[in-house]
Amino acid sequence: MNRPARLVTAALTASAALLLTACGSGGGDGSSSSDKIAGADSGDKASASPSVSTSADGIDRPAVKLPSDMKMVFEGRQTGDAVKDAILADNERTVSTVWQAMAYGDLKKSGMAFYYTDNALVGIYQYAKGAIDKKTSWAGTLRYFDRQVTVFDKKSAALTYCVDESKADLKDRETNKLQGTKTTPNSYVFYNLGLKKNKEGVWQTWDLTEDRGSQKCQP
């Protein structure tokens, strides 16, 4: 396995099986419950981090800060539709919590339990824990593009997008050494997410699938 995001991106099938076997970081079978997950207390507003900040929408959110060598570029942030823009903004926060956990090796203060729920939370937790146990992170830039939101009703939606991993690389969290990779068709990944709005107003990811090397995302 020599592509960074085969380890640094979490992927769930519809049955919540984590697609990380190539990296040997373990997977989830969906049988675990969120009460065994660090940072997932109870209720819709799990206390994922003691450090929170109030955003423009009045929601107290876990603070997320990534190291300077871990960058993300999100295209198409403004659609002109307030609901879709809120979904896209929460998605940016959602993926950032996973990278924060990996960067600092801390599940409890990552914020993942604030933005992930149900099968997705179980899979993401197991994925992040596996990476942290291996002291693995990443550096470089991930580009999120062609983000498309479908709103079903006031509390449910779907989001699809592509990720360009060609400028990201695996990093040993202890030595800070990079692995070095080549760009291949598998450097481009298509994601499909199921979302629902909780009582706090947060658009949480409850399910996700990936298609690595998808023709939809090739340059």
Side-chain angles (χ1 to χ4, degrees):
M1 197 278 311
N2 62 359
R3 277 306 311 151
R6 288 191 185 179
L7 179 60
V8 303
T9 61
L12 289 172
T13 65
S15 61
L18 199 62
L19 302 180
L20 291 172
T21 54
C23 300
S25 58
D29 58 8
S31 60
S32 300
S33 59
S34 61
D35 62 1
K36 297 179 182 178
I37 295 176
D41 293 334
S42 61
D44 290 328
K45 190 177 180 182
S47 178
S49 169
S51 176
V52 297
S53 58
T54 302
S55 56
D57 55 16
I59 300 174
D60 286 339
R61 301 175 181 276
V64 178
K65 185 176 181 179
L66 302 179
S68 60
D69 64 353
M70 185 180 280
K71 296 180 173 60
M72 293 181 294
V73 176
F74 295 93
E75 297 183 359
R77 286 181 162 179
Q78 300 297 321
T79 67
D81 182 288
V83 175
K84 291 183 178 181
D85 289 351
I87 289 172
L88 291 173
D90 270 346
N91 174 249
E92 295 178 21
R93 300 177 180 113
T94 298
V95 296
S96 297
T97 63
V98 184
W99 307 147
Q100 178 170 247
M102 287 180 57
Y104 300 109
D106 192 331
L107 291 170
K108 292 183 178 180
K109 295 182 180 181
S110 68
M112 291 187 299
F114 191 88
Y115 292 105
Y116 289 95
T117 187
D118 300 339
N119 288 342
L121 176 58
V122 174
I124 281 292
Y125 173 81
Q126 292 175 341
Y127 153 73
K129 184 177 186 302
I132 290 171
D133 289 346
K134 292 178 179 294
K135 304 186 186 305
T136 302
S137 185
W138 63 272
T141 301
L142 296 180
R143 182 172 67 95
Y144 295 75
F145 64 100
D146 195 18
R147 301 196 292 162
Q148 304 293 327
V149 180
T150 301
V151 179
F152 301 122
D153 54 44
K154 292 182 179 180
K155 293 187 176 181
S156 63
L159 171 63
T160 62
Y161 58 86
C162 294
V163 180
D164 174 2
E165 303 170 351
S166 63
K167 294 181 174 61
D169 199 354
L170 282 173
K171 183 179 79 170
D172 185 303
R173 192 158 45 84
E174 286 193 332
T175 66
N176 287 325
K177 290 183 178 179
L178 301 180
Q179 177 175 300
T181 60
K182 294 181 179 180
T183 298
T184 72
N186 282 338
S187 305
Y188 303 90
V189 194
F190 178 76
Y191 284 91
N192 191 339
L193 279 60
L195 309 170
K196 60 183 177 182
K197 190 176 184 179
N198 70 7
K199 66 182 181 181
E200 304 298 332
V202 178
W203 284 95
Q204 295 182 307
T205 298
W206 66 270
D207 190 36
L208 72 91
T209 60
E210 79 162 16
D211 180 10
R212 182 165 295 280
S214 172
Q215 288 299 316
K216 299 177 183 179
C217 303
Q218 298 300 316

